[in-house]
């Protein structure tokens, strides 16, 4: 099956809601992929190996993940979806946004293999399935930043925070800074963008 055909099938499967059994299989393969990333490098990971670890047929894994990069992108999306929303009105806007960006930046900070693989996968070429997941990741990040800023968020502020965050991830992913250093730098920048209302 060609990459385009696999991507089309995978995209169709993503748009069609999964039943409970399908969702369990999807999650099982995703978990197996994350476990393998912790143990091996990006180069050594294959969808077939992940399928074997998950105890499903390779064809089943390819039903949900069109490529290794698609699988890794979905792993990162799953990690981002686990980041809490910071919306406590007793905290200042700066504090809420700092907590949000810090939590998202540190998602893969202590898992260098996962971090490196996610960077490689998400910055990979023109894989339609990866692009779709990148859009969903962007949506998750946008929702968390918007929730932290509050309901009357200036779209320019949101755009500046998002661009800053994505730029920070690229710096961390390329090794210019560690994820912990990026989290600290983001805290500094938030005050400049949002204004310190503490």
């Amino acid at each position: 099956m060609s990459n385009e055909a696999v991507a089309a099938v995978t995209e169709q499967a993503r748009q069609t809601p999964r039943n409970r059994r399908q969702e369990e299989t999807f999650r099982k393969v995703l978990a197996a992929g994350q476990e393998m990333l912790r143990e091996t490098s990006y180069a050594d990971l294959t969808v077939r190996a992940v399928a074997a670890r998950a105890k499903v047929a390779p064809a089943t894994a390819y039903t949900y993940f069109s490529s290794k990069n698609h699988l890794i992108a979905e792993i990162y999306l799953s990690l981002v979806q686990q980041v809490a929303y910071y919306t406590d009105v007793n905290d200042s806007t700066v504090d809420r946004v700092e907590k949000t960006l810090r939590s998202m930046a540190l998602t893969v900070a202590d898992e260098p293999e996962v971090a490196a693989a996610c960077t490689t996968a998400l910055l990979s070429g023109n894989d339609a399935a990866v692009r779709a997941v990148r859009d969903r990741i962007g949506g998750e990040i946008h929702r968390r930043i918007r929730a932290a800023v509050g309901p009357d968020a200036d779209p320019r502020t949101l755009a500046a925070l998002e661009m800053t965050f994505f730029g920070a991830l690229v710096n961390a992913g390329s090794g210019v800074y560690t994820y912990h250093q990026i989290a600290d730098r983001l805290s500094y920048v938030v005050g400049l963008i949002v204004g310190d209302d503490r």
Side-chain angles (χ1 to χ4, degrees):
M1 191 180 284
S2 73
N3 284 345
E4 292 81 21
V6 170
V9 168
T10 304
E11 181 62 19
Q12 181 182 8
R14 188 188 69 74
Q15 292 174 352
T16 307
R18 293 185 285 264
N19 64 34
R20 184 184 57 76
R21 194 173 121 256
Q22 291 168 328
E23 186 64 25
E24 287 173 2
T25 302
F26 175 85
R27 293 284 162 204
K28 186 163 56 167
V29 175
L30 205 63
Q34 189 170 350
E35 289 170 11
M36 287 191 74
L37 276 179
R38 289 178 175 138
E39 300 166 4
T40 188
S41 69
Y42 169 86
D44 294 334
L45 185 95
T46 66
V47 175
R48 287 184 177 279
V50 172
R53 166 77 65 97
K55 295 182 174 42
V56 300
T60 300
Y62 278 111
T63 299
Y64 302 106
F65 307 104
S66 63
S67 66
K68 167 171 68 173
N69 287 338
H70 180 205
L71 170 63
I72 295 168
E74 289 281 2
I75 289 168
Y76 187 73
L77 173 61
S78 175
L79 293 170
V80 170
Q81 289 171 331
Q82 295 171 37
V83 173
Y85 282 84
Y86 294 94
T87 58
D88 187 343
V89 294
N90 295 313
D91 288 340
S92 69
T93 303
V94 170
D95 287 340
R96 292 191 311 264
V97 174
E98 280 181 11
K99 288 176 185 176
T100 297
L101 296 186
R102 176 173 285 282
S103 294
M104 290 190 300
L106 295 177
T107 300
V108 292
D110 298 323
E111 299 186 83
E113 300 83 8
V114 176
C118 289
T119 299
T120 301
L122 291 169
L123 296 178
S124 65
N126 290 324
D127 185 330
V130 173
R131 277 197 319 270
V133 178
R134 267 197 315 251
D135 290 344
R136 291 170 51 215
I137 291 166
E140 291 291 335
I141 289 168
H142 174 80
R143 282 188 288 281
R144 280 160 180 75
I145 292 172
R146 183 174 181 79
V149 174
D152 299 326
D154 182 335
R156 295 171 301 175
T157 300
L158 293 176
L161 289 167
E162 288 175 30
M163 288 177 61
T164 299
F165 180 73
F166 289 120
L169 287 184
V170 170
N171 273 289
S174 66
V176 174
Y177 298 100
T178 68
Y179 284 92
H180 290 282
Q181 290 170 324
I182 282 297
D184 292 339
R185 293 175 74 84
L186 282 168
S187 293
Y188 168 74
V189 174
V190 166
L192 297 174
I193 295 173
V194 175
D196 203 339
D197 62 348
R198 288 182 266 206

